[in-house]
Amino acid sequence: MNYISGNELRKKFLDFFKSKDHLILQSYPLIPENDPTLLLVGAGMAPFKPFFTGKMNPPHPRISTSQKCVRTGDIENVGRTARHHTFFEMLGNFSFGDYFKKEAIAWAWEFITEHLEMPKDKLWITIHTEDDEAFAIWHNDIHIPADRIIRMADNFWEIGPGPCGPCSEIYFDLGEERGCNKSDCAVGCDCDRFLEIWNLVFTQYDRDEVGNYTPLAKKNIDTGAGLERIASVLQKKRSNFETDLLFPLIEHAAKVANVEYGSNNKTDVSLKVIADHIRSMTVMIGDGILPSNEGRGYVLRRILRRAVRHARLLGIEKIFLVPMVDIVNTIFAEAYPDLVEKQSYIKKVIQLEEERFQTTLVQGMELLNGHIQKLKELNISVLDGATAFKLYDTFGFPWELTLEILEEHDMQLDKPNFDSAMKEQRERARAARQDHEDQQIIPDLSHLETEKLIVDEHAENGNIILAWKNGILADEVHDGEDVAFILDVTSFHAEGGGQVGDTGFLEGSLGKMKITATRKLVNGTTYHVGNVTEGLFRVGDLVKLKVDENRRREIARNHTATHLLHAALKQVLGTHVNQSGSLVSPERLRFDFSHFSQVTSEQLLEIEKLVNHAILENISVTIVETKQDKAKEMGAVALFGEKYGETVRVVSVGSVSKELCGGSHVVKTSEICVFKIVSEAGIGSGIRRIEAVTGSGAMEYINGRDQVLLSTALKLKSRPEELVVKVESVMNRVKELENELAALASKLAHSEVMDLLSKVQEVNGVQVVVGQVSINDIEGLRTIADMVRDRLKCGVVTLGSIHADKVNFVAMATKEAINKGIHAGNIVKEVSKITGGGGGGRPDMAQAGGKQPEKISDALQFVLEVIKNQVK
């Protein structure tokens, strides 16, 4: 068994299965495509769920990948064990109704023992208790001794109803020295001796809701093999963290922290956490995920902040994560070259987020430590949920971080009350997820011959080859039913890449259907969603295709404009700008892009000019299909987080723009007519958003602004071209009047103060001023109270006023009065109760309100009683 690097291992695996007629696919992005049930891709089979369920046909019956995965269910164990990670790579070979147990087992054994040269006497096999077929293959064909094949009841893979089946695992014996020294130590023991390196899942049953298992007509293979685990065996390392896939990161962190790896377990945990987490955040940002307080963005933010906290445990208090991105990209350059291309962007996002967290971390930690100290003094072991939520809401402290710190002090978090305080945020997250609820339930489409389907925007007719309603295939659909169709030929563009889908009508000999959305299945097949408005349709019917052409033209204008906008942004703001999201609808366009400062009004004007210049140049828009490598040679821009097939569509706008894109576009830029930016704002860490309009939308917007301008000029008895001068004149007059008003208010306040001071009373050496004043707002009330207090040596002032059927109270006290027992907060608290209100504050200043203005006199008369009870 020879040393093999992580990169060599990945390549060996994929090359091996390529030789076994597997289609080798690039890793899918971490953001699941068309799967709202998943937050992040966490397994090699996740992108292929429609193929495993049999609802859709795969591009090839045999596929192999090295899939990027993120899981955070065991995040607390990261760094504490040899194998737990948030980010890892899953090597996988998959069969969709093709080969089964015999080939999968034989190939796994061949790769492990012949290509990786693992010693056979170190390998153990587990199977499901009742899987005699797998036992026979391992024992009779592979010649594994029966006593090295362990039957286990939990070797069965299933997640609720659907495809499932037994599994067979391959374990590597790392030696007695890695074991627990127990007499019964064997495969399945919790110690580190026996390491699972390969898992073969035989999906041969379909489980129903009741729990019945029906044999599948087409059986599947799902292999999962951890790249990091196998690397640790081949490189003879005690843990995944010491392999070349992670250890360079540990070395860097140890150097920055000036500690030695391996000398202290607590220090090692923090070094491992940092190494694991910087890999995760680098890949997540590279796949288009940005820090936020919801969903996958929260996962990223939590991972980054956890890394920062562990850095502080090592004594690292400066910004330190950014340089580690370079090390991650050096490790991953061969497998994921796109990370290198996005390196500066990834580093900037991490820098901004780390700086933001550093500014609040110290204060948040101090507050939490203060709460912990108080709890210890009171002999309480549970932190209340409201306090934890305040740490989260005000200081950006993840509750998981609070929980970890509490556990280090043998304390707990009142999670139910925390959850209650978080309810509003959770409801927002749920509302965001519900955006997917209008998606049609997809039936079994495995018999669909997708290679024969055609999308031709000039097509006039097509045949219905599939129809369904409520997820069930139907031969016939009727008036009033919500349905979905797949046609052999369609002219409708599907939703995708930020562009909304086409709408329109389908007309048959017996019916009419209104198309409300056009979408794509995971395999790229276009389907149409809508309502049968007249008659009926049958599978096989020939239908006329009537796209809403006016709507499509507006969409095309806005879509081509996003390409021109992208190019203009790069020219004005810098080449670091990259698209991070978009919405292209008939009414407007929305364009999200990476940039780390506010875009100035001058820059926006320049961007707008560049786009409109390209429109006036009447540049031809050309669209070609080519291989992905060729498109890159052409200089075509790809988007963050997007997965492209081998054949791509390149949209070029002369020499101005060249992007990979599958949407609708104009033929000449002059068709866009005009481009107008409506708004620009920041929407997240290093992400800005521009909203704009083109065509008729721009004309409506400009006309609307003109009407506002004209009506404003009319009200000011001016002409539009004179409006600026007129407004400046009015503003100057307003300022003059405000100054006059302020002077009058000052005189009035002085008069009120003098009047109040003439009525000063004394209670046991404390000067007391009480009165009702004619001030409309609480700020004015505080100002007068300030002026009165400043004229008292040892005194307290309590004032009340009525405004809009409400009562305001303010109380202020001098330092000398406070020393005699006066507490302004308690005064207003008691007094405001009489008017049906409440309030409070500090000993020196407090304010309160009430709902019963008719009782203000009674309340103010009560002030003296309160003060008499306070004075010592």
Side-chain angles (χ1 to χ4, degrees):
M1 184 173 68
N2 297 319
Y3 178 99
I4 297 177
S5 72
N7 285 325
E8 290 172 328
L9 173 58
R10 188 190 300 107
K11 187 175 186 302
K12 268 183 176 287
F13 179 89
L14 296 175
D15 286 347
F16 174 79
F17 281 101
K18 186 177 182 180
S19 73
K20 304 298 183 185
D21 192 30
H22 284 64
L23 173 65
I24 307 302
L25 295 179
Q26 294 178 348
S27 172
Y28 282 74
L30 287 169
I31 301 176
E33 184 178 5
N34 296 323
D35 190 348
T37 65
L38 286 179
L39 200 61
L40 292 160
V41 169
M45 59 78 65
F48 306 129
K49 281 168 65 175
F51 308 146
F52 277 106
T53 60
K55 285 187 174 183
M56 296 180 200
N57 290 323
H60 194 276
R62 302 177 181 184
I63 289 175
S64 184
T65 62
S66 179
Q67 176 62 45
K68 297 176 286 188
C69 300
V70 168
R71 295 181 190 172
T72 56
D74 293 320
I75 193 170
E76 291 79 13
N77 287 322
V78 173
R80 303 182 190 279
T81 70
R83 315 294 170 205
H84 280 96
H85 299 291
T86 54
F87 171 83
F88 60 94
E89 290 182 78
M90 184 70 79
L91 302 171
N93 60 284
F94 310 96
S95 168
F96 307 106
D98 188 34
Y99 64 82
F100 199 47
K101 292 183 186 179
K102 187 171 184 178
E103 295 86 349
I105 290 172
W107 290 340
W109 191 254
E110 178 186 348
F111 180 70
I112 290 171
T113 59
E114 296 182 23
H115 292 262
L116 300 185
E117 300 180 353
M118 287 189 184
K120 296 178 181 179
D121 62 349
K122 292 284 187 181
L123 299 171
W124 291 73
I125 309 301
T126 66
I127 60 172
H128 184 256
T129 309
E130 300 175 7
D131 195 351
D132 294 332
E133 181 185 2
F135 178 88
I137 296 170
W138 281 115
H139 184 56
N140 299 330
D141 297 355
I142 309 301
H143 308 300
I144 304 297
D147 61 356
R148 295 181 73 87
I149 305 173
I150 313 300
R151 293 178 184 263
M152 292 185 169
D154 59 356
N155 268 35
F156 196 92
W157 183 90
E158 63 181 338
I159 305 178
C164 57
C167 58
S168 179
E169 300 163 327
I170 303 174
Y171 283 79
F172 189 90
D173 183 357
L174 295 169
E176 290 184 15
E177 67 277 10
R178 300 287 295 276
C180 57
N181 296 320
K182 293 179 181 177
S183 58
D184 60 348
C185 181
V187 173
C189 183
D190 289 336
C191 70
D192 285 341
R193 176 174 176 177
F194 296 96
L195 174 66
E196 179 203 333
I197 59 171
W198 201 284
N199 187 13
L200 294 160
V201 180
F202 311 124
T203 52
Q204 62 190 80
Y205 300 111
D206 185 17
R207 177 190 163 187
D208 62 21
E209 297 283 353
V210 180
N212 299 312
Y213 295 87
T214 305
L216 286 168
K218 291 185 177 181
K219 298 177 175 62
N220 307 310
I221 290 292
D222 165 21
T223 293
L227 176 69
E228 292 84 359
R229 288 189 176 203
I230 298 176
S232 73
V233 174
L234 298 173
Q235 296 176 19
K236 298 180 181 178
K237 302 297 183 183
R238 292 185 66 84
S239 82
N240 298 357
F241 291 94
E242 294 170 16
T243 68
D244 66 333
L245 294 167
L246 279 149
F247 197 64
L249 297 162
I250 289 177
E251 287 182 309
H252 176 85
K255 185 177 180 181
V256 174
N258 195 28
V259 297
E260 183 181 350
Y261 176 76
S263 62
N264 180 285
N265 184 62
K266 191 173 181 180
T267 297
D268 287 352
V269 168
S270 291
L271 291 172
K272 290 174 185 177
V273 167
I274 292 166
D276 171 271
H277 287 11
I278 187 63
R279 289 206 315 168
S280 292
M281 64 185 85
T282 298
V283 179
M284 290 174 78
I285 295 167
D287 275 355
I289 299 168
L290 290 167
S292 72
N293 282 335
E294 294 177 354
R296 56 182 68 95
Y298 179 66
V299 174
L300 172 59
R301 175 163 283 170
R302 178 188 176 193
I303 287 172
L304 186 148
R305 292 183 170 184
R306 197 168 182 266
V308 172
R309 178 181 171 255
H310 276 275
R312 294 184 72 85
L313 292 177
L314 292 173
I316 303 173
E317 297 190 359
K318 62 181 181 181
I319 300 296
F320 83 104
L321 287 173
V322 172
M324 297 187 76
V325 175
D326 297 337
I327 303 172
V328 174
N329 286 346
T330 299
I331 296 169
F332 283 148
E334 182 179 321
Y336 309 114
D338 59 308
L339 289 178
V340 179
E341 296 171 10
K342 303 166 186 172
Q343 185 161 304
S344 60
Y345 169 76
I346 294 168
K347 290 167 77 170
K348 193 66 178 178
V349 172
I350 289 176
Q351 179 184 345
L352 288 173
E353 185 67 13
E354 189 176 1
E355 287 174 350
R356 181 178 287 111
F357 188 46
Q358 286 278 14
T359 59
T360 60
L361 182 62
V362 176
Q363 190 176 5
M365 288 283 287
E366 287 177 355
L367 285 170
L368 179 56
N369 288 333
H371 288 300
I372 290 172
Q373 187 60 41
K374 287 179 182 177
L375 292 175
K376 286 181 177 180
E377 291 171 0
L378 296 170
N379 200 27
I380 298 173
S381 61
V382 179
L383 179 70
D384 65 280
T387 299
F389 176 74
K390 185 177 180 182
L391 285 167
Y392 164 81
D393 194 43
T394 306
F395 302 101
F397 233 70
W399 71 265
E400 299 91 347
L401 189 55
T402 298
L403 181 61
E404 279 187 35
I405 296 170
L406 287 170
E407 287 176 345
E408 290 173 4
H409 292 270
D410 296 322
M411 292 182 172
Q412 297 176 330
L413 169 65
D414 179 4
K415 189 65 166 51
N417 280 330
F418 177 87
D419 290 341
S420 177
M422 281 281 287
K423 187 176 180 182
E424 192 174 328
Q425 281 91 329
R426 286 179 169 177
E427 285 176 351
R428 283 202 301 269
R430 267 198 301 274
R433 287 197 295 271
Q434 287 169 356
D435 289 345
H436 297 277
E437 288 186 354
D438 65 341
Q439 300 284 337
Q440 280 278 321
I441 301 170
I442 307 300
D444 183 351
L445 304 178
S446 58
H447 59 290
L448 183 65
E449 297 182 41
T450 56
E451 63 276 4
K452 295 182 180 180
L453 304 179
I454 297 171
V455 177
D456 176 5
E457 64 181 27
H458 302 297
E460 297 180 355
N461 300 290
N463 290 283
I464 300 172
I465 60 171
L466 281 177
W468 67 86
K469 50 186 177 181
N470 300 320
I472 301 173
L473 291 172
D475 293 326
E476 187 174 291
V477 294
H478 299 87
D479 184 13
E481 293 180 332
D482 294 324
V483 301
F485 286 160
I486 292 178
L487 310 175
D488 60 348
V489 179
T490 183
S491 56
F492 285 70
H493 273 290
E495 174 185 312
Q499 177 180 311
V500 298
D502 279 337
T503 61
F505 292 90
L506 300 182
E507 290 186 3
S509 59
L510 299 174
K512 188 174 182 179
M513 175 179 175
K514 182 179 180 180
I515 303 297
T516 56
T518 307
R519 301 194 178 104
K520 280 185 182 179
L521 301 173
V522 175
N523 60 7
T525 301
T526 299
Y527 68 102
H528 311 78
V529 178
N531 179 266
V532 180
T533 56
E534 295 177 20
L536 61 87
F537 290 89
R538 297 189 180 97
V539 173
D541 282 357
L542 179 70
V543 294
K544 289 182 180 179
L545 311 171
K546 295 191 173 182
V547 175
D548 185 335
E549 293 293 348
N550 288 331
R551 183 176 179 274
R552 174 185 279 183
R553 274 192 292 272
E554 296 291 352
I555 292 171
R557 288 181 178 119
N558 283 329
H559 202 154
T560 305
T562 63
H563 287 218
L564 297 177
L565 173 59
H566 196 182
L569 286 165
K570 284 180 175 289
Q571 185 173 336
V572 175
L573 303 180
T575 55
H576 66 278
V577 168
N578 280 296
Q579 179 177 346
S580 61
S582 68
L583 171 67
V584 179
S585 71
E587 298 80 21
R588 64 191 175 98
L589 66 91
R590 187 181 72 209
F591 191 85
D592 300 341
F593 59 97
S594 55
H595 187 57
F596 306 101
S597 60
Q598 186 174 353
V599 184
T600 66
S601 56
E602 292 81 8
Q603 288 172 327
L604 286 174
L605 186 61
E606 181 62 23
I607 291 163
E608 196 172 82
K609 281 182 179 179
L610 285 171
V611 175
N612 281 312
H613 178 73
I615 292 170
L616 292 172
E617 287 290 299
N618 196 26
I619 303 168
S620 294
V621 178
T622 58
I623 300 175
V624 297
E625 289 193 351
T626 186
K627 298 296 183 183
Q628 191 175 153
D629 291 344
K630 181 65 176 176
K632 287 185 177 180
E633 288 176 15
M634 294 166 60
V637 175
L639 304 185
F640 274 26
E642 286 289 327
K643 180 173 176 59
Y644 299 96
E646 190 176 340
T647 301
V648 295
R649 191 166 176 258
V650 180
V651 177
S652 301
V653 187
S655 61
V656 176
S657 168
K658 194 180 267 85
E659 293 190 20
L660 302 185
C661 182
S664 304
H665 290 277
V666 299
V667 177
K668 295 269 193 177
T669 56
S670 60
E671 296 174 39
I672 300 172
C673 301
V674 66
F675 171 85
K676 184 66 183 172
I677 294 175
V678 174
S679 66
E680 189 278 336
I683 60 168
S685 298
I687 298 296
R688 313 288 302 177
R689 171 173 291 172
I690 281 179
E691 298 203 20
V693 285
T694 68
S696 58
M699 297 307 298
E700 288 177 13
Y701 176 78
I702 293 168
N703 288 338
R705 295 292 288 267
D706 276 348
Q707 286 302 314
V708 171
L709 189 67
L710 288 169
S711 63
T712 303
L714 187 62
K715 287 183 182 297
L716 291 174
K717 298 178 180 179
S718 173
R719 290 184 298 175
E721 59 269 24
E722 299 169 346
L723 203 51
V724 173
V725 175
K726 186 67 174 179
V727 168
E728 287 177 349
S729 174
V730 170
M731 288 176 67
N732 288 334
R733 180 57 182 152
V734 168
K735 192 171 183 179
E736 289 174 8
L737 293 173
E738 285 176 344
N739 290 336
E740 290 177 15
L741 189 61
L744 288 171
S746 178
K747 288 180 182 178
L748 179 61
H750 186 266
S751 175
E752 293 267 20
V753 170
M754 292 300 103
D755 184 51
L756 289 166
L757 288 171
S758 68
K759 301 172 184 175
V760 66
Q761 303 176 62
E762 189 171 311
V763 177
N764 294 337
V766 176
Q767 296 169 293
V768 179
V769 175
V770 182
Q772 179 179 345
V773 295
S774 55
I775 296 295
N776 290 334
D777 58 89
I778 191 72
E779 187 175 343
L781 197 61
R782 284 199 300 265
T783 300
I784 292 178
D786 264 330
M787 294 169 70
V788 173
R789 182 192 56 189
D790 291 346
R791 287 167 170 79
L792 300 176
K793 185 175 181 181
C794 176
V796 56
V797 56
T798 305
L799 304 180
S801 68
I802 298 173
H803 178 62
D805 295 327
K806 290 183 179 179
V807 183
N808 288 323
F809 293 104
V810 167
M812 293 186 182
T814 64
K815 191 179 294 185
E816 293 78 6
I818 294 170
N819 292 335
K820 282 183 170 286
I822 294 297
H823 193 295
N826 292 339
I827 292 172
V828 296
K829 182 179 179 181
E830 294 299 322
V831 170
S832 60
K833 288 179 182 177
I834 297 173
T835 59
R842 305 189 307 267
D844 62 325
M845 196 283 285
Q847 62 189 52
K851 303 173 185 176
Q852 298 168 290
E854 67 276 8
K855 294 185 178 181
I856 189 171
S857 295
D858 296 338
L860 291 172
Q861 286 176 15
F862 186 58
V863 171
L864 281 173
E865 286 297 318
V866 177
I867 290 173
K868 286 176 182 177
N869 291 329
Q870 285 188 353
V871 176
K872 296 175 183 177

